Amino acid sequence: MLESSGNIQTVPKGSHCQVLFWNKLQFAHSWILIDRCGKHFGTILNYLRDDTIALPKHRQEIKELMAEAKYYLIQGLVDMCQAALQDKKDLYEPVCSIPIITSPKEEERLIESSLKPVVKLLYNRSNNKYSYTSNSDDNLLKNIELFDKLSLRFNGRVLFIKDVIGDEICCWSFYGQGRKLAEVCCTSIVYATEKKQTKVEFPEARIYEETLNVLLYETPRVPDNSLLEATSRSRSQASHSEDDEGFELRDRVRRIHVKRYSTYDDRQLGH
């Protein structure tokens, strides 16, 4: 309901909007009944007063405002909304953007400057010295597919980056507060009957676990040694020198490797 003094001061005289108000709105005891959602009504009034407004940022809200402007027959505002929608259509913004690093220095800058936890997948199939086992290609693709799935699932909360120039074949790295927390290497060497082969694993549960661990570092970057210690594997209990005991927690990285050397051969019979 809108209270009225008997005339509409903010509507330009002779405009389509004025005709709409006088023809479609029902007066009753100095009140005007407007059968519309009031979400954008304040914006409509501001446009009528100032002949210009700051449009909303999101496309959906601009569309809603344009629908209201069409109802009130405010052609100038309709034109503004249409022009803004066209501009936003031309300037496409991707939902999820994954940087691919081109150098170790670029990787370091990305991780250091990120206020979010970081998950990096390194995959480089050409790094192998030996032929691959029969399931390795499938497992490599599964690692890449899981990376894509996680990057969509945690988009906005975690920075996901790809590395295709590193020295490993398939390796996950996890960072929090600019520090490397864990590493999951997915490759191993298999001793086959006649020759060595490279085997790629798909430790899905371990990757999920480490990804959830880095979510603990979503808070603003404040050094939290207790959190780093709680999510890092304790060092061996063997005797250490005083210098070793003085290592900072940022030097402690939990590394999870599949068996580097194995007598297991996953090739199918007859191969």
Side-chain angles (χ1 to χ4, degrees), residues 7-8 25 49 53 79 89 100 106-107 121 134 140 154-155 158 193 237 263 270:
N7 55 16
I8 303 173
L25 302 182
R49 293 187 186 104
I53 54 167
D79 294 339
K89 182 179 180 181
I100 299 179
E106 182 185 17
E107 175 187 351
L121 173 61
S134 59
L140 182 60
F154 297 106
N155 177 43
V158 178
T193 305
Q237 301 299 323
T263 57

Side-chain angles (χ1 to χ4, degrees), residues 24 102 133 148:
K24 289 190 176 181
T102 59
T133 58
D148 294 339

Side-chain angles (χ1 to χ4, degrees), residues 98-207:
I98 305 297
I100 299 179
I101 61 175
T102 59
S103 68
K105 187 172 293 186
E106 182 185 17
E107 175 187 351
E108 183 179 352
R109 286 199 301 265
L110 277 172
I111 295 172
E112 286 296 325
S113 62
S114 176
L115 298 178
K116 306 173 186 177
V118 179
V119 174
K120 184 190 76 170
L121 173 61
L122 186 163
Y123 63 93
N124 191 343
R125 193 180 184 279
S126 62
N127 279 337
N128 64 312
K129 295 181 180 179
Y130 314 106
S131 61
Y132 286 103
T133 58
S134 59
N135 292 334
S136 291
D137 284 335
D138 287 342
N139 286 335
L140 182 60
L141 288 175
K142 288 179 181 178
N143 278 280
I144 297 173
E145 289 172 355
L146 178 59
F147 178 86
D148 294 339
K149 184 187 300 183
L150 291 174
S151 63
L152 289 175
R153 172 64 178 82
F154 297 106
N155 177 43
R157 300 177 63 185
V158 178
L159 173 62
F160 290 87
I161 59 179
K162 285 185 178 182
D163 182 358
V164 295
I165 60 174
D167 297 330
E168 291 283 352
I169 296 173
C170 184
C171 185
W172 295 73
S173 300
F174 304 86
Y175 302 83
Q177 296 181 358
R179 307 175 185 179
K180 192 172 187 178
L181 304 173
E183 183 179 88
V184 178
C185 184
C186 304
T187 56
S188 62
I189 303 299
V190 172
Y191 284 101
T193 305
E194 301 175 354
K195 58 183 178 180
K196 297 179 182 179
Q197 287 187 302
T198 301
K199 180 180 180 181
V200 179
E201 299 276 12
F202 178 50
E204 183 178 13
R206 176 63 67 181
I207 294 167

Side-chain angles (χ1 to χ4, degrees), residues 59 85-97:
R59 287 180 57 88
L85 289 173
Q86 184 61 40
D87 292 341
K88 287 185 176 293
K89 182 179 180 181
D90 295 339
L91 297 175
Y92 173 74
E93 296 181 2
V95 175
C96 182
S97 179

